[in-house]
Amino acid sequence: MAEENAPATTVAAAVADQQQEKPVPDAAAGDQSKAEGNGKTVAEEPPKAEMKAVVLTGFGGLKSVKILKKPEPTLADGEVIIRVKACGLNFQDLMARQGAIESLPKAPFILGFECSGVIEQVGEGVEKFKIGDRVVALPEWRAWSELVAVPAKNVFAIPEGLNFVDAAALATNYIVAYVLLFELGAVKPGSSLILHSAGGGVGQAVAQLCKTIDVTVFGVASKSKHEALKGTIDHLLERGSDYAAEVRKVSPEGVDLFLDCVCGEECSRGYSLLKPMGKYILFGSSNIVTGETKSFFSAAKSWWQVDKISPLKLFDENKTLMGFNLRRLLFHQNQSEYVAKIFDKVIGLWKDGKVKPVIDSTWAFEDVGEAMQKMHDRKNIGKIVLDPSLEPKPKPATPVKGKSKNADKEKEKKEEDSSANGTSTPAEASSPTTKEKEKEKESS
Amino acid sequence: MAEENAPATTVAAAVADQQQEKPVPDAAAGDQSKAEGNGKTVAEEPPKAEMKAVVLTGFGGLKSVKILKKPEPTLADGEVIIRVKACGLNFQDLMARQGAIESLPKAPFILGFECSGVIEQVGEGVEKFKIGDRVVALPEWRAWSELVAVPAKNVFAIPEGLNFVDAAALATNYIVAYVLLFELGAVKPGSSLILHSAGGGVGQAVAQLCKTIDVTVFGVASKSKHEALKGTIDHLLERGSDYAAEVRKVSPEGVDLFLDCVCGEECSRGYSLLKPMGKYILFGSSNIVTGETKSFFSAAKSWWQVDKISPLKLFDENKTLMGFNLRRLLFHQNQSEYVAKIFDKVIGLWKDGKVKPVIDSTWAFEDVGEAMQKMHDRKNIGKIVLDPSLEPKPKPATPVKGKSKNADKEKEKKEEDSSANGTSTPAEASSPTTKEKEKEKESS
């Protein structure tokens, strides 16, 4: 747990961090510093401009997430630099924080896989964008920053009338939902499905897309959310309960599709609830993040809990097992073009008024800790968005030592204190013990 | 192997067999004798009319397959009786012969899962058919007979102009091919796939359906068939070879779909050749039938050779694993309605001239052994059909003791001799040792 106690860095230290990032092998495509020294950047290096960013200082809990000043990114060929207006928070960010996603750079690095904004610089070889274009971007990391350099292939134009918050909420969630339903699930009018985390961003996107073609949705969510969700989900099931009997009551033969982002024991339950010709799709493994810091143990446990399946069993039962992982598709399998086509379809549905993202809440960068905790506790309904232009919430009168950026240095000496710029205090202050208990109950 | 040597029965014995079938629990739906005694059948029982049928006298090799006289079927509610004009031979018949399919009745029973013909009687409660209708039928077994009683839900009308041989060839093979490509595989123009047993009935159906929407086919077949197949298959691969490199040469990223009816080591090879978002479908396990009689051993071996796969691996790799088994779908999962819809689509394509079944050969019932051996050796290109109206082939001048039905009794005493009515002599005579060697090479 040494990483958790990594000190907040000063501005000077942040520059050093940036240089440390250079040798990270996986940062190649979008490394903000790699253009330095190749003669293409403007000669303004000495007093490099700075920007605010959400930095992970080490894998672990909320304390590892700090708001820091970082040098502005430099532009490489094939990239654009975006002035960020809104950032999407995804469950993967929580997993990244705990180091539960492979191929991340060494900490410290800027978090975030999703943002929207305006193009401020266009690199060599980029044809499809010009300065001033409004876009969403899915960088491999580093989205939660005032400025971000992203390979143009992972940047998609957004139409007039779509605001930045909605655009950020439309990208990952609706791309995932669209692929699950129409590309992999191939649902038809009259199909039925079970959906995990029905209240989350993807869950709400799936529910909306299902309404466009009359698909029945059984949605699993915490009991406390049922009241709020009953307008969007046909049949609500209680998270953590053995809901098989309830599903069979409505749909004795089972369902056509099971969308699982939880993994673990849900795998076999979901599989057994499938109709003949039914499909199970694993599109997340949030069980892996069950607590603040016990990621590695619980990841391993989760992994072994999942039954392996023989293709011959699928053959005997006329069933299908699928996996979908947008991050791997974009950054390890080079399928940006495919993803761009899906996003076009999503935008088409948005233009036709058939989908409208549900925004749970928007947060200042400084409140990212609280936002993450809300998602971790599954208290959100719809998308959680970060907005770098927002002022942080006023903090409760706890002994916070300093609020200005100059306070960073002071905090270095107080590692046991919460964290820089109020990043995480409110969420962490609110009885983590109770939350742990909740989680244990949920995952049992 | 005791079953293999079961004696050919006389007509009297055949009647006894029929009565033996009664207590078989799984024969409920279509049991030809179950209507007896419930007062509904016409009072013609005493000298019951007889018909010719292909009977499996015990699980095992070709010797267990006999042409016998059996009582004509009696009609139950919800059934029709069909005067059979053509029968489809499928790989499953070979597996049934060896007892490698679950839920078969106890031997002896009439073989065959597929036939076409004319409706001769219509049972209570059947609305959609009348006497004289031309149909194809997919009974659970018993299709290879002059008459067969089939639940009406598994009987589908065929249009004017479609002859009985083509109809039998259109049913199973094109239903399977259609589901694999368009329902499960969801191929699009520009997709690519690898297809096992490219020369077989399903293989040729897949190849034709692919041409309707411009899908590239890599077809695996024995080298000896390549010349004959080059008109229908885009890229031919040699059965038993490690063709991965060849596929990668044409399609470096791999293929969108892998259609495997062989199982065993093909599973992992197929999986590894998939593109991101690619699908592997197991729709047969013909490796299980590798020899004449060693079914149980090789079934178990085949089963254990197949790697089980964790859903988390699919999630990491954006891949899909599917199983399709028409027999289970119809007889264990009650999905006749779904299958009927697919057959409608196939008939639509036939009417539009987009598909035309490839018939490898037609055979008399008496030559079923040779026909089965041809399929077993994978020497057919397209569908093998049995036609009960055909005269058996003249037999080579081997020491066959008798050719009339009365010869049955004589043969009982000569169990080591080939079998009744020339069922299997020609195929078995042709050096099984060489064939065994071929197979061992192929499955290694």
Side-chain angles (χ1 to χ4, degrees):
Chain A
M1 300 304 115
E3 297 98 334
E4 253 200 285
N5 298 326
T9 49
T10 58
V11 171
V15 174
D17 286 347
Q18 177 78 358
Q19 281 155 1
Q20 259 185 354
E21 281 171 17
K22 271 187 193 167
V24 174
D26 232 65
D31 193 322
Q32 293 172 2
S33 54
K34 77 169 183 294
E36 282 169 22
N38 68 1
K40 277 192 182 156
T41 46
V42 265
E44 54 166 24
E45 262 131 328
K48 181 119 199 180
E50 291 189 329
M51 61 177 187
K52 196 165 64 172
V54 180
V55 177
L56 187 71
T57 56
F59 297 114
L62 290 171
K63 287 179 188 171
S64 312
V65 180
K66 319 262 186 201
I67 311 306
L68 299 176
K69 286 285 179 185
K70 288 289 214 173
E72 289 188 355
T74 47
L75 189 65
D77 291 357
E79 291 186 344
V80 295
I81 288 182
I82 298 165
R83 172 71 55 184
V84 176
K85 301 294 186 181
C87 305
L89 181 57
N90 294 295
F91 211 92
Q92 287 192 344
D93 297 306
L94 277 63
M95 298 179 74
R97 195 192 71 206
Q98 298 197 328
I101 289 182
E102 80 300 3
S103 313
L104 287 171
K106 270 191 215 166
F109 63 91
I110 300 172
L111 283 169
F113 304 127
E114 180 178 42
C115 62
S116 59
V118 177
I119 290 184
E120 207 163 275
Q121 291 181 55
V122 177
E124 282 290 325
V126 177
E127 304 287 330
K128 65 173 183 172
F129 294 115
K130 60 180 192 308
I131 290 168
D133 281 354
R134 303 169 73 247
V135 293
V136 294
L138 301 175
E140 191 167 357
W141 41 287
R142 245 179 339 215
W144 297 352
S145 181
E146 289 175 314
L147 287 166
V148 61
V150 188
K153 64 181 180 177
N154 295 333
V155 178
F156 315 120
I158 59 174
E160 279 308 303
L162 178 60
N163 69 50
F164 291 115
V165 168
D166 281 0
L170 268 180
T172 297
N173 290 355
Y174 282 77
I175 288 170
V176 169
Y178 191 98
V179 170
L180 294 179
L181 288 180
F182 300 127
E183 294 279 306
L184 294 177
V187 291
K188 295 169 184 169
S191 294
S192 58
L193 63 84
I194 298 175
L195 166 64
H196 259 267
S197 302
V202 172
Q204 289 292 290
V206 165
Q208 282 188 8
L209 290 172
C210 282
K211 290 255 184 293
T212 66
I213 65 155
D214 187 25
V215 168
T216 301
V217 179
F218 293 84
V220 181
S222 323
K223 191 77 184 168
S224 60
K225 282 184 175 182
H226 283 202
E227 187 58 29
L229 291 176
K230 67 185 185 188
T232 51
I233 306 291
D234 301 306
H235 303 283
L236 283 156
L237 305 169
E238 191 173 348
R239 185 175 156 78
S241 76
D242 182 9
Y243 46 73
E246 244 175 301
V247 173
R248 297 271 181 208
K249 229 184 286 168
V250 181
S251 193
E253 292 196 348
V255 294
D256 298 290
L257 186 59
F258 189 97
L259 301 179
D260 182 7
C261 59
V262 177
C263 205
E265 66 185 90
E266 298 306 323
C267 288
S268 45
R269 186 186 294 154
Y271 182 87
S272 69
L273 276 169
L274 292 178
K275 277 184 193 171
M277 304 297 281
K279 295 169 181 167
Y280 163 92
I281 314 181
L282 183 64
F283 71 101
S285 49
S286 62
N287 252 4
I288 287 173
V289 182
T290 53
E292 268 289 291
T293 53
K294 34 181 183 165
S295 59
F296 297 108
F297 173 68
S298 56
K301 190 167 150 249
S302 215
W303 184 276
W304 289 111
Q305 273 174 350
V306 179
D307 288 334
K308 292 187 178 181
I309 290 188
S310 163
L312 282 163
K313 183 173 165 69
L314 301 174
F315 171 62
D316 274 348
E317 300 181 358
N318 285 303
K319 288 186 179 178
T320 288
L321 220 55
M322 306 177 125
F324 181 61
N325 186 329
L326 179 60
R327 188 175 155 69
R328 304 261 327 168
L329 197 68
L330 281 170
F331 307 118
H332 299 258
Q333 300 181 316
N334 199 27
Q335 298 297 307
S336 302
E337 217 173 299
Y338 173 79
V339 173
K341 276 183 203 156
I342 302 296
F343 188 66
D344 271 356
K345 289 176 186 180
V346 169
I347 288 297
L349 289 167
W350 176 83
K351 282 181 179 168
D352 294 345
K354 291 194 172 165
V355 296
K356 182 174 167 28
V358 176
I359 308 298
D360 175 76
S361 48
T362 54
W363 305 74
F365 274 178
E366 289 79 0
D367 296 323
V368 65
E370 198 176 340
M372 281 183 142
Q373 191 62 40
K374 187 173 188 184
M375 173 169 277
H376 181 273
D377 297 340
R378 297 186 163 81
K379 294 208 163 135
N380 58 307
I381 293 181
K383 188 75 172 184
I384 293 177
V385 178
L386 306 178
D387 179 344
S389 73
L390 284 184
E391 286 296 310
K393 282 192 198 175
K395 299 294 167 239
T398 45
V400 174
K401 300 290 163 175
K403 271 173 180 146
S404 72
K405 291 145 197 162
N406 297 336
D408 282 336
K409 209 145 202 168
E410 204 181 325
K411 289 228 188 63
E412 254 178 80
K413 294 162 209 146
K414 299 175 183 287
E415 294 174 9
E416 289 314 299
D417 201 347
S418 281
S419 81
N421 301 313
T423 307
S424 49
T425 23
E428 289 197 317
S430 70
S431 165
T433 325
T434 318
K435 273 178 193 122
E436 285 304 308
K437 275 187 196 146
E438 255 177 50
K439 250 149 282 144
E440 273 168 36
K441 206 182 66 189
E442 283 177 348
S443 64
S444 69
Chain B
M1 300 304 115
E3 296 97 334
E4 251 199 289
N5 298 326
T9 49
T10 59
V11 171
V15 175
D17 287 348
Q18 178 77 0
Q19 280 155 0
Q20 260 185 355
E21 279 170 19
K22 271 188 194 166
V24 174
D26 232 65
D31 193 321
Q32 293 173 4
S33 54
K34 77 170 183 295
E36 282 168 21
N38 66 3
K40 278 191 182 155
T41 47
V42 266
E44 55 168 24
E45 262 132 328
K48 180 120 197 177
E50 291 188 330
M51 61 178 185
K52 194 165 66 172
V54 181
V55 176
L56 187 71
T57 56
F59 297 114
L62 289 172
K63 287 179 187 170
S64 312
V65 181
K66 319 264 185 201
I67 310 306
L68 299 177
K69 286 283 180 188
K70 287 288 212 174
E72 289 189 355
T74 46
L75 188 66
D77 292 355
E79 292 186 344
V80 296
I81 288 183
I82 298 166
R83 171 72 53 186
V84 176
K85 301 293 186 182
C87 305
L89 181 57
N90 295 295
F91 211 92
Q92 286 192 345
D93 298 306
L94 278 63
M95 298 178 74
R97 197 190 71 206
Q98 298 197 330
I101 288 182
E102 81 299 3
S103 313
L104 287 171
K106 270 190 214 167
F109 63 91
I110 300 173
L111 282 169
F113 304 127
E114 180 178 41
C115 63
S116 59
V118 177
I119 290 185
E120 208 162 274
Q121 292 180 56
V122 177
E124 282 289 327
V126 176
E127 304 287 330
K128 64 175 185 172
F129 295 115
K130 59 181 193 306
I131 291 168
D133 280 355
R134 303 170 73 248
V135 295
V136 293
L138 301 175
E140 190 167 359
W141 42 288
R142 247 179 335 214
W144 296 352
S145 182
E146 289 176 313
L147 287 167
V148 61
V150 188
K153 63 181 181 177
N154 295 334
V155 178
F156 316 119
I158 59 174
E160 278 308 305
L162 178 58
N163 69 49
F164 291 115
V165 168
D166 281 359
L170 268 181
T172 298
N173 289 356
Y174 282 76
I175 288 170
V176 169
Y178 191 99
V179 170
L180 294 178
L181 286 179
F182 299 128
E183 294 280 305
L184 294 176
V187 292
K188 296 168 184 168
S191 295
S192 58
L193 62 85
I194 298 174
L195 165 66
H196 259 268
S197 300
V202 172
Q204 289 292 290
V206 165
Q208 281 188 7
L209 290 173
C210 283
K211 290 256 184 293
T212 67
I213 66 156
D214 188 26
V215 168
T216 301
V217 179
F218 293 84
V220 181
S222 322
K223 191 78 185 166
S224 61
K225 283 185 176 182
H226 284 201
E227 187 60 28
L229 291 177
K230 67 185 184 186
T232 52
I233 306 290
D234 301 305
H235 304 283
L236 282 156
L237 306 169
E238 191 173 348
R239 185 175 155 79
S241 77
D242 181 7
Y243 46 74
E246 243 175 301
V247 173
R248 297 267 181 211
K249 229 185 285 166
V250 181
S251 192
E253 291 194 351
V255 294
D256 298 290
L257 186 60
F258 190 97
L259 300 179
D260 181 9
C261 59
V262 178
C263 203
E265 67 186 271
E266 297 307 324
C267 287
S268 45
R269 186 186 293 155
Y271 182 87
S272 70
L273 276 169
L274 292 179
K275 279 184 192 172
M277 303 298 282
K279 296 170 181 166
Y280 163 93
I281 314 182
L282 182 63
F283 71 100
S285 48
S286 61
N287 253 4
I288 287 173
V289 183
T290 54
E292 268 288 291
T293 53
K294 34 181 183 166
S295 61
F296 297 107
F297 173 68
S298 56
K301 187 165 151 249
S302 216
W303 183 277
W304 288 112
Q305 272 173 351
V306 179
D307 288 332
K308 291 188 179 179
I309 291 188
S310 164
L312 282 163
K313 184 174 163 71
L314 301 174
F315 171 62
D316 274 349
E317 299 180 359
N318 285 303
K319 288 185 178 178
T320 288
L321 221 55
M322 306 175 127
F324 181 61
N325 185 328
L326 180 59
R327 187 175 157 70
R328 303 260 330 167
L329 198 67
L330 281 171
F331 307 118
H332 299 260
Q333 301 182 317
N334 198 27
Q335 299 297 307
S336 303
E337 216 175 298
Y338 173 80
V339 173
K341 275 183 203 157
I342 302 296
F343 188 67
D344 270 356
K345 289 177 186 178
V346 168
I347 289 297
L349 288 167
W350 176 83
K351 284 181 178 167
D352 294 345
K354 292 194 170 166
V355 298
K356 184 177 168 25
V358 177
I359 309 297
D360 175 77
S361 48
T362 54
W363 305 75
F365 273 179
E366 289 79 0
D367 295 325
V368 64
E370 199 176 340
M372 280 184 143
Q373 190 63 39
K374 186 173 189 187
M375 174 168 278
H376 181 274
D377 296 341
R378 296 188 163 78
K379 293 206 164 135
N380 58 308
I381 292 182
K383 189 75 173 183
I384 293 178
V385 178
L386 307 179
D387 180 342
S389 72
L390 284 184
E391 285 297 311
K393 283 191 197 176
K395 299 293 167 242
T398 45
V400 172
K401 299 288 159 162
K403 272 172 181 147
S404 75
K405 291 147 200 165
N406 297 337
D408 282 335
K409 210 145 201 167
E410 204 180 326
K411 288 224 191 65
E412 257 178 78
K413 296 162 208 145
K414 298 174 184 287
E415 293 174 8
E416 287 316 297
D417 201 349
S418 282
S419 83
N421 301 313
T423 307
S424 48
T425 22
E428 289 197 318
S430 71
S431 165
T433 326
T434 319
K435 272 176 197 124
E436 284 305 309
K437 274 186 196 146
E438 253 177 53
K439 254 146 282 145
E440 273 167 36
K441 206 183 68 191
E442 282 178 349
S443 65
S444 68

